[in-house]
mmCIF file of all heavy atoms in Angstrom:
data_model
loop_
_atom_site.group_PDB
_atom_site.id
_atom_site.type_symbol
_atom_site.label_atom_id
_atom_site.label_comp_id
_atom_site.label_asym_id
_atom_site.label_seq_id
_atom_site.Cartn_x
_atom_site.Cartn_y
_atom_site.Cartn_z
ATOM 1 N N SER A 917 0.817 74.075 64.396
ATOM 2 C CA SER A 917 1.484 75.311 64.779
ATOM 3 C C SER A 917 0.630 76.026 65.808
ATOM 4 O O SER A 917 -0.585 75.809 65.907
ATOM 5 C CB SER A 917 1.692 76.207 63.555
ATOM 6 O OG SER A 917 0.450 76.517 62.934
ATOM 7 N N TYR A 918 1.290 76.871 66.604
ATOM 8 C CA TYR A 918 0.627 77.552 67.720
ATOM 9 C C TYR A 918 0.474 79.034 67.411
ATOM 10 O O TYR A 918 1.443 79.703 67.033
ATOM 11 C CB TYR A 918 1.443 77.374 69.000
ATOM 12 C CG TYR A 918 1.564 75.947 69.443
ATOM 13 C CD1 TYR A 918 2.763 75.250 69.304
ATOM 14 C CD2 TYR A 918 0.492 75.291 70.038
ATOM 15 C CE1 TYR A 918 2.880 73.940 69.742
ATOM 16 C CE2 TYR A 918 0.584 73.972 70.470
ATOM 17 C CZ TYR A 918 1.793 73.309 70.316
ATOM 18 O OH TYR A 918 1.902 72.005 70.736
ATOM 19 N N ASN A 919 -0.737 79.548 67.608
ATOM 20 C CA ASN A 919 -1.010 80.980 67.474
ATOM 21 C C ASN A 919 -1.071 81.604 68.868
ATOM 22 O O ASN A 919 -1.834 81.128 69.729
ATOM 23 C CB ASN A 919 -2.344 81.218 66.748
ATOM 24 C CG ASN A 919 -2.280 80.795 65.302
ATOM 25 O OD1 ASN A 919 -1.269 80.975 64.636
ATOM 26 N ND2 ASN A 919 -3.361 80.207 64.805
ATOM 27 N N ILE A 920 -0.296 82.647 69.073
ATOM 28 C CA ILE A 920 -0.163 83.249 70.406
ATOM 29 C C ILE A 920 -0.464 84.738 70.317
ATOM 30 O O ILE A 920 0.096 85.452 69.468
ATOM 31 C CB ILE A 920 1.278 83.055 70.942
ATOM 32 C CG1 ILE A 920 1.612 81.563 71.038
ATOM 33 C CG2 ILE A 920 1.440 83.731 72.311
ATOM 34 C CD1 ILE A 920 3.092 81.291 71.145
ATOM 35 N N LEU A 921 -1.346 85.203 71.175
ATOM 36 C CA LEU A 921 -1.638 86.630 71.284
ATOM 37 C C LEU A 921 -0.883 87.196 72.478
ATOM 38 O O LEU A 921 -1.022 86.701 73.601
ATOM 39 C CB LEU A 921 -3.141 86.862 71.474
ATOM 40 C CG LEU A 921 -3.584 88.322 71.604
ATOM 41 C CD1 LEU A 921 -3.339 89.087 70.303
ATOM 42 C CD2 LEU A 921 -5.065 88.412 71.995
ATOM 43 N N LEU A 934 0.190 89.284 67.252
ATOM 44 C CA LEU A 934 -0.193 87.904 67.022
ATOM 45 C C LEU A 934 0.989 87.178 66.402
ATOM 46 O O LEU A 934 1.540 87.630 65.388
ATOM 47 C CB LEU A 934 -1.409 87.841 66.085
ATOM 48 C CG LEU A 934 -1.959 86.450 65.790
ATOM 49 C CD1 LEU A 934 -2.556 85.829 67.050
ATOM 50 C CD2 LEU A 934 -3.012 86.524 64.685
ATOM 51 N N TYR A 935 1.369 86.072 67.028
ATOM 52 C CA TYR A 935 2.498 85.276 66.556
ATOM 53 C C TYR A 935 2.018 83.889 66.153
ATOM 54 O O TYR A 935 1.161 83.299 66.828
ATOM 55 C CB TYR A 935 3.544 85.116 67.656
ATOM 56 C CG TYR A 935 4.503 86.282 67.780
ATOM 57 C CD1 TYR A 935 4.091 87.484 68.358
ATOM 58 C CD2 TYR A 935 5.796 86.198 67.304
ATOM 59 C CE1 TYR A 935 4.958 88.561 68.459
ATOM 60 C CE2 TYR A 935 6.679 87.264 67.408
ATOM 61 C CZ TYR A 935 6.257 88.435 67.988
ATOM 62 O OH TYR A 935 7.120 89.482 68.085
ATOM 63 N N CYS A 936 2.567 83.384 65.056
ATOM 64 C CA CYS A 936 2.459 81.964 64.742
ATOM 65 C C CYS A 936 3.802 81.359 65.115
ATOM 66 O O CYS A 936 4.799 81.511 64.386
ATOM 67 C CB CYS A 936 2.155 81.745 63.261
ATOM 68 S SG CYS A 936 2.028 79.997 62.822
ATOM 69 N N GLU A 937 3.836 80.777 66.312
ATOM 70 C CA GLU A 937 5.079 80.315 66.912
ATOM 71 C C GLU A 937 6.061 81.490 66.998
ATOM 72 O O GLU A 937 5.748 82.495 67.634
ATOM 73 C CB GLU A 937 5.631 79.106 66.164
ATOM 74 C CG GLU A 937 4.614 77.974 66.070
ATOM 75 C CD GLU A 937 5.195 76.594 66.137
ATOM 76 O OE1 GLU A 937 6.413 76.428 65.977
ATOM 77 O OE2 GLU A 937 4.404 75.642 66.342
ATOM 78 N N LEU A 941 2.730 87.653 62.970
ATOM 79 C CA LEU A 941 1.757 87.804 61.890
ATOM 80 C C LEU A 941 1.338 89.256 61.732
ATOM 81 O O LEU A 941 1.185 89.755 60.621
ATOM 82 C CB LEU A 941 0.532 86.926 62.164
ATOM 83 C CG LEU A 941 0.789 85.420 62.268
ATOM 84 C CD1 LEU A 941 -0.502 84.676 62.564
ATOM 85 C CD2 LEU A 941 1.432 84.890 60.985
ATOM 86 N N PHE A 979 -8.909 87.859 62.104
ATOM 87 C CA PHE A 979 -8.468 86.700 62.895
ATOM 88 C C PHE A 979 -9.560 86.303 63.876
ATOM 89 O O PHE A 979 -10.084 87.139 64.618
ATOM 90 C CB PHE A 979 -7.181 87.026 63.663
ATOM 91 C CG PHE A 979 -6.628 85.845 64.392
ATOM 92 C CD1 PHE A 979 -5.866 84.902 63.738
ATOM 93 C CD2 PHE A 979 -6.900 85.656 65.751
ATOM 94 C CE1 PHE A 979 -5.357 83.794 64.421
ATOM 95 C CE2 PHE A 979 -6.414 84.558 66.437
ATOM 96 C CZ PHE A 979 -5.648 83.620 65.756
ATOM 97 N N GLU A 983 -8.964 80.421 66.968
ATOM 98 C CA GLU A 983 -7.740 79.858 66.417
ATOM 99 C C GLU A 983 -6.537 80.082 67.337
ATOM 100 O O GLU A 983 -5.422 79.648 67.026
ATOM 101 C CB GLU A 983 -7.452 80.449 65.048
ATOM 102 C CG GLU A 983 -8.522 80.138 64.007
ATOM 103 C CD GLU A 983 -8.237 80.787 62.664
ATOM 104 O OE1 GLU A 983 -7.054 81.041 62.385
ATOM 105 O OE2 GLU A 983 -9.182 81.067 61.908
ATOM 106 N N LEU A 984 -6.741 80.772 68.475
ATOM 107 C CA LEU A 984 -5.643 81.001 69.409
ATOM 108 C C LEU A 984 -5.268 79.729 70.144
ATOM 109 O O LEU A 984 -6.114 78.897 70.477
ATOM 110 C CB LEU A 984 -6.032 82.074 70.419
ATOM 111 C CG LEU A 984 -6.068 83.526 69.922
ATOM 112 C CD1 LEU A 984 -6.638 84.441 71.004
ATOM 113 C CD2 LEU A 984 -4.675 83.997 69.509
ATOM 114 N N SER A 985 -3.970 79.629 70.434
ATOM 115 C CA SER A 985 -3.454 78.516 71.262
ATOM 116 C C SER A 985 -3.191 78.966 72.685
ATOM 117 O O SER A 985 -3.214 78.158 73.617
ATOM 118 C CB SER A 985 -2.152 77.977 70.644
ATOM 119 O OG SER A 985 -2.324 77.627 69.296
ATOM 120 N N ALA A 986 -2.916 80.252 72.870
ATOM 121 C CA ALA A 986 -2.657 80.813 74.200
ATOM 122 C C ALA A 986 -2.674 82.320 74.105
ATOM 123 O O ALA A 986 -2.483 82.896 73.021
ATOM 124 C CB ALA A 986 -1.319 80.335 74.752
ATOM 125 N N VAL A 987 -2.905 82.968 75.250
ATOM 126 C CA VAL A 987 -2.811 84.426 75.357
ATOM 127 C C VAL A 987 -1.862 84.726 76.508
ATOM 128 O O VAL A 987 -1.965 84.126 77.589
ATOM 129 C CB VAL A 987 -4.194 85.074 75.631
ATOM 130 C CG1 VAL A 987 -4.069 86.597 75.581
ATOM 131 C CG2 VAL A 987 -5.230 84.598 74.634
ATOM 132 N N LEU A 1260 3.759 75.954 75.499
ATOM 133 C CA LEU A 1260 2.905 75.191 74.588
ATOM 134 C C LEU A 1260 3.631 73.966 74.023
ATOM 135 O O LEU A 1260 3.013 72.918 73.803
ATOM 136 C CB LEU A 1260 2.438 76.098 73.449
ATOM 137 C CG LEU A 1260 1.428 77.189 73.834
ATOM 138 C CD1 LEU A 1260 1.255 78.170 72.683
ATOM 139 C CD2 LEU A 1260 0.092 76.597 74.231
#
Side-chain angles (χ1 to χ4, degrees):
S917 59
Y918 297 106
N919 293 322
I920 300 162
L921 180 66
L934 182 66
Y935 277 75
C936 180
E937 304 215 345
L941 300 179
F979 184 82
E983 298 178 26
L984 286 173
S985 306
V987 186
L1260 290 169

